[in-house]
Amino acid sequence: MLKVFNLPDLGEGLTESEILTWKVAEGDQVTVNQVLADVETAKAVVELSSPFEGAIARLHAEPGTVVEVGAPIISFELPGESGGESPPAGEASAQDGPDGGTQALPDGRVPTLVGYGAAADTGKRPARRAKAGGAGTQAPPQPQGTAPSQPALPVSTPPSTDGTGERPRSTPPVRKLAKDLGVDMTALTGTGRDGLITREDVQRAAAGGASPAAPGSPSQAGAGTSPAAGQGSSSGGVRTLCGREREVRTAVQGVRKHTAAAMVSSAFTAPHVTEFLTVDVTETMELLERIRRHREFRDVRVTVLTLAAKAVCLAMERTPEINARWDEQAQEIVGQHFVNLGIAAATPRGLMVPNVKDAQAMDLKELAGELAELTETARAGRTAPAAMSGGTFTITNVGVFGVDAGTPILNPGEAGILALGQVRRQPWEHQGQIALRQMMTLSLSFDHRLVDGEQGSRFLADVGQLLSDPAMAMLR
């Protein structure tokens, strides 16, 4: 029988997701929990897993399509069943318990957010089965007596260079870059591992005159043929930047769309105040070098951000107001006796702010490990939606870009955000003399509804003192 799977809510009441890439094709046999697609929500890229074992009867959306939650995205042909089409996955079914709750399957699996977990006896994701019958560019025939849920629509498969009909192997950010630069990925040979097409491959093709993008792509719509890389345009010999088209439009969606809306809302809702403090962090930098040589930290990446995160958690003990939130509906200030520390991370899909849960309870080694894993996961596009929610305070390290200071905008729902500037050697008074010291500027923005000027200043001064004289942490 046919089973229609609707796009589920992938977290925090999100209303839509974009299909980045399909991992399967029509006609493929799939198993429970096998990854079907990479989808991008407003907060993260999520792997969508199969809730069923069976054959892919139909893919309802092409890559790049934004799908509303609850809309059909894939149909399965389930083995050993008959009787027409069943209700879409997520609606009432025989697996619902009598009280409306969720009932476990016979092998111990229970429904998860996007399907069913692995069987209880192994706890492992089943391996993907080999494809049956090639690339599956045509939908399998409908079983007799079964009516499709809606008229069949053609689902195109991107061309390839190897004749298999599969999409060229690359990552979603690289495919987006190729689309923006007008590079035909099917004409490229990947230099990455196992033939993966890398960002450098795309950039090299764009600089050297790659094949034009497929007709109808955004970079060619209404533009005609663009000039070859490094040459002027045909109209008057006007040269373009790096040989690219004069203008490229990119749809604002996914993470960037969410970030833009959140920042505008925050900037015009919370009354921001920003204060600056320049700190002599010479002793902290010396401590950092000693920590890195310590045997307990040989396998842990400890940075200035790690020490600043620890200082923030310690300083909050004296100024808990900086960790509160404003309840607009109840018109109340909510004190929070835990710190979910957000770390702003620049990724190919835009700014993301995942957070370390209960950072206040971690020692320095635990905090360093969590921060390293958090940033690596974010930059790889694997951050789960849950890691993006519930933050109470954020740190953004603009110093890695060579920036000294700024006026950071609050993450919505948080009372404060601290920007770390670059550490640079400059003349400074030390013990009554001018000496070259390692200096850093801290920029603290806070919500003036929650934090008074005295409280914000005290918190910033405490963080500065801990980074200036890390031995002060022994007194707390």
Side-chain angles (χ1 to χ4, degrees):
M1 66 178 292
L2 280 180
K3 186 75 172 182
V4 179
F5 180 44
N6 294 339
L7 179 68
D9 179 354
L10 297 174
E12 299 297 315
L14 301 174
T15 60
E16 63 184 24
S17 298
E18 179 186 353
I19 306 295
L20 290 180
T21 180
W22 286 108
K23 304 294 187 181
V24 296
E26 294 182 3
D28 284 359
Q29 293 288 330
V30 297
T31 55
V32 172
N33 279 354
Q34 179 176 325
V35 177
L36 301 173
D38 287 336
V39 298
E40 184 177 27
T41 71
K43 295 186 177 182
V45 175
V46 179
E47 290 183 338
L48 192 65
S49 301
S50 175
F52 308 115
E53 179 172 354
I56 303 297
R58 181 184 173 199
L59 303 178
H60 293 265
E62 297 185 7
T65 303
V66 176
V67 182
E68 297 289 332
V69 168
I73 59 170
I74 191 167
S75 292
F76 296 85
E77 180 65 36
L78 303 186
E81 299 186 24
S82 61
E85 184 176 351
S86 66
E91 297 184 3
S93 69
Q95 281 130 8
D96 293 340
D99 59 352
T102 302
Q103 179 177 341
L105 297 180
D107 62 0
R109 290 180 285 119
V110 295
T112 62
L113 181 65
V114 294
Y116 293 87
D121 58 341
T122 65
K124 298 179 180 179
R125 173 178 290 170
R128 180 182 297 190
R129 291 185 179 178
K131 293 184 178 181
T137 56
Q138 296 181 353
Q142 298 288 343
Q144 294 183 357
T146 302
S149 57
Q150 45 187 298
L153 296 177
V155 179
S156 62
T157 302
S160 69
T161 58
D162 58 6
T164 64
E166 294 184 353
R167 174 182 295 273
R169 295 189 65 252
S170 64
T171 61
V174 173
R175 287 195 289 274
K176 182 179 184 301
L177 176 66
K179 183 178 180 180
D180 291 343
L181 298 183
V183 173
D184 181 3
M185 295 190 67
T186 63
L188 301 183
T189 300
T191 60
R193 185 175 180 179
D194 297 329
L196 186 74
I197 297 175
T198 66
R199 176 179 292 270
E200 289 73 22
D201 293 333
V202 173
Q203 292 172 335
R204 191 180 305 113
S211 302
S217 66
S219 61
Q220 288 193 337
T225 303
S226 62
Q231 298 180 4
S233 70
S234 59
S235 57
V238 178
R239 299 182 66 86
T240 59
L241 181 63
C242 299
R244 300 177 182 177
E245 295 184 13
R246 293 177 64 82
E247 183 179 275
V248 175
R249 292 178 179 267
T250 302
V252 180
Q253 56 193 33
V255 173
R256 190 167 297 280
K257 179 179 180 181
H258 173 77
T259 301
M263 292 298 98
V264 170
S265 175
S266 175
F268 291 96
T269 300
H272 285 57
V273 173
T274 303
E275 295 184 342
F276 305 91
L277 178 66
T278 301
V279 180
D280 182 348
V281 294
T282 304
E283 292 188 22
T284 287
M285 299 306 292
E286 293 172 350
L287 173 63
L288 183 60
E289 290 302 315
R290 294 199 300 272
I291 291 174
R292 288 170 173 169
R293 293 193 300 267
H294 196 283
R295 62 186 180 186
E296 291 294 325
F297 289 85
R298 286 176 182 170
D299 299 326
V300 182
R301 184 170 182 264
V302 184
T303 65
V304 174
L305 175 62
T306 312
L307 300 182
K310 188 63 177 178
V312 162
C313 292
L314 291 173
M316 282 180 179
E317 295 176 1
R318 195 157 82 106
T319 312
E321 294 85 359
I322 200 72
N323 194 50
R325 65 180 174 86
W326 181 273
D327 187 331
E328 180 65 30
Q329 184 173 1
Q331 289 294 294
E332 294 176 342
I333 295 175
V334 182
Q336 300 170 131
H337 299 151
F338 60 92
V339 181
N340 289 348
L341 188 62
I343 303 298
T347 76
R349 295 180 179 87
L351 181 68
M352 302 179 71
V353 190
N355 59 80
V356 177
K357 309 296 184 185
D358 291 314
Q360 84 289 345
M362 297 180 181
D363 60 28
L364 187 64
K365 185 177 180 180
E366 292 172 326
L367 189 56
E370 288 290 329
L371 289 175
E373 181 178 357
L374 177 146
T375 52
E376 179 182 353
T377 302
R379 287 167 184 157
R382 302 193 309 269
T383 303
M388 302 283 290
S389 304
T392 63
F393 187 91
T394 293
I395 299 178
T396 177
N397 187 5
V398 299
V400 297
F401 305 109
V403 175
D404 292 326
T407 55
I409 299 177
L410 294 169
N411 211 25
E414 299 178 10
I417 179 172
L418 179 70
L420 308 179
Q422 67 171 324
V423 178
R424 55 188 301 182
R425 291 174 62 84
Q426 64 184 71
W428 196 258
E429 182 182 354
H430 176 65
Q431 297 180 351
Q433 296 182 349
I434 299 299
L436 279 177
R437 305 290 288 176
Q438 299 196 69
M439 310 300 298
M440 170 193 282
T441 298
L442 306 175
S443 309
L444 175 71
S445 293
F446 55 87
D447 186 341
H448 219 330
R449 298 173 300 177
L450 295 156
V451 182
D452 294 336
E454 181 267 338
Q455 296 165 336
S457 299
R458 183 176 64 216
F459 172 78
L460 183 59
D462 282 351
V463 173
Q465 185 181 39
L466 288 167
L467 292 178
S468 174
D469 184 6
M472 291 298 297
M474 297 294 295
L475 304 179
R476 294 179 180 271

